[in-house]
Amino acid sequence: MNKRNMKKNIIPYLALALILMAIFYGFNVLNKKVNVFSYDEFIKNVNQGSVVEIVVTPRDRAQTYEIVGKLKDYKENETFFVRVPLSNEMMKKIMEASERYDFKFVTHDDPESSSLLLILVNVVPILLLVGGAFFLFTRQMGGANKSMDFGKSKAKLSSDKNKVTFNDVAGLKEEKEEVKELIDFLKSPKKFQKLGARIPKGVLLFGPPGTGKTLLARAVAGEANVPFYYISGSDFVELFVGVGASRVRDMFQQAKRNAPCLIFIDEIDAVGRQRGTGLGGGHDEREQTLNQLLTEMDGFGENEGIIIIAATNRPDVLDPALLRPGRFDRQVTVNLPDIKGREEILKVHARNKILSKGVTLENLAKRTPGFSGADLENLLNEAALLAVRRNKESITMSEIDEATDRVLMGPAKTSRKYSEEDRKMVSYHEAGHVVLGLKLNDANDVQKVTIIPRGPAGGYAMMVPKEERMNATKDDLLEEITGLLGGRVSEELIFNKITTGAQNDFEKATKIARSMVTEYGMSDLGPMQLEQQEGAAFLGRDYNKVRNFSNEVAHEIDIEMRKIIDSCYVNAKKILDENRDLLKLIADALLEYETLTKEQIEYLVENGHMEEEEENYERMPLTKLREIAEEMGIENYDKLNKADLIKELNERQ
């Protein structure tokens, strides 16, 4: 705890102590009884011997004695007080009475005769008042300074310690080419100005999350070796109207003093949404901030040498004025990487990791379509953590497989127990997906299948496209739907039962079928787009879809969707019925091994049995390992996890 926090914590206790002392003092004062005597009453009690204690304090200025004392019949909190003339005769009378009646007699010096006490009484209160006023004044000034800083820009200047270059950005070849002109301009602007060329004032990077938009902007600043200011769009918007606009002005003033420089605004959609939208009115603070940003980017003033790079995942909600030429002149789409890009990204993130000889990044790139750069970095990090947990000296394919499953579906729930009937049902369900993936030319390829529960699923089949394409044909989509229906069809063929396990398969199949009818024009309704993915901006783009059809057409859409699903279901049933032996072969292998890779599936289909792998414990299921451990007489084998069990088996051999 720092000193400032300690002071803040002590102050309430000190205040409480002062309050209690004041209450205690006031209580004592209120309970104390003081009897004021006249001169004659005092002399009478002294002469009668009724006094038991006297305290005399002279007051030279008033020429009096202040006498406080007690009588014999007084209670504990009762005293008397009297003022008498300042004279030697009065003091002589009191001293004689004290000798005669033997009561306590005390004299004090005049307090006003002490210079120190005089200062304490007269000067200290004034100093306390002046000090308190000064403290309150400085505190108010501090608050005023804070309120003045409220409108200051929160943009931070990047340090050279975290310098990023294009060597750290992989898989974005075309995107890097688009922004290289910015670097050339920042390094030598006269070359462009000589021919009258105007460099883009702003570059908007948009694409899915994790594709490297922020990293690309940092690389531009690192390559150009210029100041790099970065700020989030939400840092502009505050509760009070006008603060965001003030921060925009201050940010550009700082940038002008350090030009040429780069300003990077992350998540610009937080401040750049369309104006005039919203249920019940607009958002004045956000809209004023956006207006100021538009003015600074392309107003009457010139911002020479200042280039703005912004990133967003939602370009569809941005205000049109923000995207016009003169502001964000250039818009760069940062898409998910293809297979070559994924391999390059994996090489970058594998620099500081020790991979075993069996790990091939090219094969890993093939198995991870749809992964962003952030997903791939997380995949290798999870694999490294697993390798450390298993006490290995390098990362093997076993850890990478497990990490892929963790990223997609979550950790394996090996402790979950379910009946043999459920286990058999799940095996045939997943085997149905595998068989259709093998028999259909355009269906997704099964890279891995398992019946080990992960997340909400009792098992799953990792299905990826056989090859990456820009466009999908109608046959591709139909066979993808057919492959998704393989699990339900297999359950119905073998057990004459249906379960809830196909829920996610139906969700995906229905979405594809509806898109074929309403968006792609792949039905008997003709080449028409009946639905759009975006809705009104003030409701959010994903709130609902824009529907350009009547109720009658909606009924026809339902009919066409049903036709597609039914035809795919019939086709799946026909294929699985013709390949029952293959279905049983794969299901039996799943029951024994629990997990099958693409290579194991291909070997199983070609040879009719699994490859002998007695010595390869890594690829054996946990149930098989426990059987071997029981035969070897290993104690508490059922309480060991797979990694510890493999270690124990290797030591026994």
Side-chain angles (χ1 to χ4, degrees), residues 27 260 265 272 371 386 404 471 587:
F27 180 77
I265 305 175
F371 277 50
L386 283 169
T404 306
N471 297 306

Side-chain angles (χ1 to χ4, degrees), residues 58 206 304 323 402 421 560 571:
F206 59 87
E304 293 293 337
L323 304 178
E402 176 66 19
E421 183 181 357
E560 291 300 319
N571 190 26

Side-chain angles (χ1 to χ4, degrees), residues 238-266:
E238 289 288 351
L239 175 65
F240 305 106
V241 176
V243 174
S246 174
R247 289 178 177 176
V248 172
R249 288 191 295 270
D250 186 66
M251 181 180 70
F252 276 89
Q253 288 174 2
Q254 292 183 32
K256 287 175 184 178
R257 290 194 292 266
N258 293 279
C261 68
L262 277 171
I263 298 176
F264 176 62
I265 305 175
D266 200 7

Side-chain angles (χ1 to χ4, degrees), residues 337-350:
D338 57 10
I339 183 171
K340 185 177 180 181
R342 291 196 298 273
E343 185 178 353
E344 293 175 359
I345 293 171
L346 287 169
K347 288 179 180 178
V348 170
H349 293 304

Side-chain angles (χ1 to χ4, degrees), residues 19 22 88 102 121 133 145 160 187 196-197 223 270 316 410 508 513 593 601:
I19 292 171
N88 293 330
D102 192 22
V121 172
N145 290 334
D160 293 335
K187 287 183 175 179
E223 291 286 341
D316 51 333
K508 295 177 182 177
Y593 290 87
I601 293 171

Side-chain angles (χ1 to χ4, degrees), residues 20-207:
L20 292 174
M21 289 173 62
I23 293 173
F24 180 75
Y25 176 76
F27 180 77
N28 288 337
V29 170
L30 291 174
N31 288 341
K32 195 169 185 179
K33 184 179 179 182
V34 179
N35 299 313
V36 180
F37 283 179
S38 65
Y39 176 80
D40 293 336
E41 289 176 327
F42 171 68
I43 294 298
K44 179 181 177 181
N45 283 292
V46 168
N47 292 333
Q48 291 177 353
S50 301
V51 178
V52 295
E53 181 182 343
I54 286 179
V55 178
V56 180
T57 304
R59 296 290 182 177
D60 293 338
R61 287 189 179 185
Q63 292 295 306
T64 60
Y65 286 117
E66 290 183 355
I67 301 174
V68 178
K70 284 187 176 185
L71 300 182
K72 291 181 178 179
D73 56 348
Y74 274 11
K75 296 179 181 179
E76 185 179 356
N77 291 330
E78 190 175 1
T79 59
F80 68 82
F81 174 80
V82 63
R83 281 193 179 93
V84 297
L86 182 67
S87 64
N88 293 330
E89 293 180 2
M90 177 55 65
M91 185 61 65
K92 185 178 179 181
K93 288 181 181 181
I94 296 173
M95 292 176 66
E96 289 176 351
S98 173
E99 292 176 358
R100 187 184 313 125
Y101 298 110
D102 192 22
F103 60 80
K104 186 177 179 182
F105 174 52
V106 181
T107 59
H108 289 165
D109 294 332
D110 185 1
E112 295 179 355
S113 64
S114 173
S115 59
L116 178 61
L117 185 60
L118 184 65
I119 292 173
L120 290 175
V121 172
N122 296 305
V123 179
V124 170
I126 298 174
L127 291 177
L128 289 174
L129 289 173
V130 173
F134 180 75
F135 172 75
L136 292 175
F137 178 75
T138 54
R139 187 165 184 175
Q140 290 294 328
M141 287 298 294
N145 290 334
K146 288 181 180 178
S147 63
M148 292 174 66
D149 291 340
F150 199 57
K152 295 292 184 181
S153 171
K154 290 187 176 182
K156 299 177 182 178
L157 185 62
S158 179
S159 62
D160 293 335
K161 295 180 180 179
N162 300 322
K163 188 173 180 180
V164 177
T165 64
F166 280 160
N167 293 330
D168 302 309
V169 182
L172 299 175
K173 183 178 180 181
E174 292 78 11
E175 289 81 354
K176 286 189 285 189
E177 291 293 333
E178 284 290 316
V179 297
K180 274 186 178 179
E181 287 182 1
L182 304 179
I183 300 170
D184 295 337
F185 174 78
L186 291 170
K187 287 183 175 179
S188 54
K190 293 182 179 179
K191 181 174 67 174
F192 292 85
Q193 295 169 355
K194 183 179 180 181
L195 296 178
R198 179 183 62 82
I199 200 68
K201 292 185 178 180
V203 177
L204 180 65
L205 307 176
F206 59 87

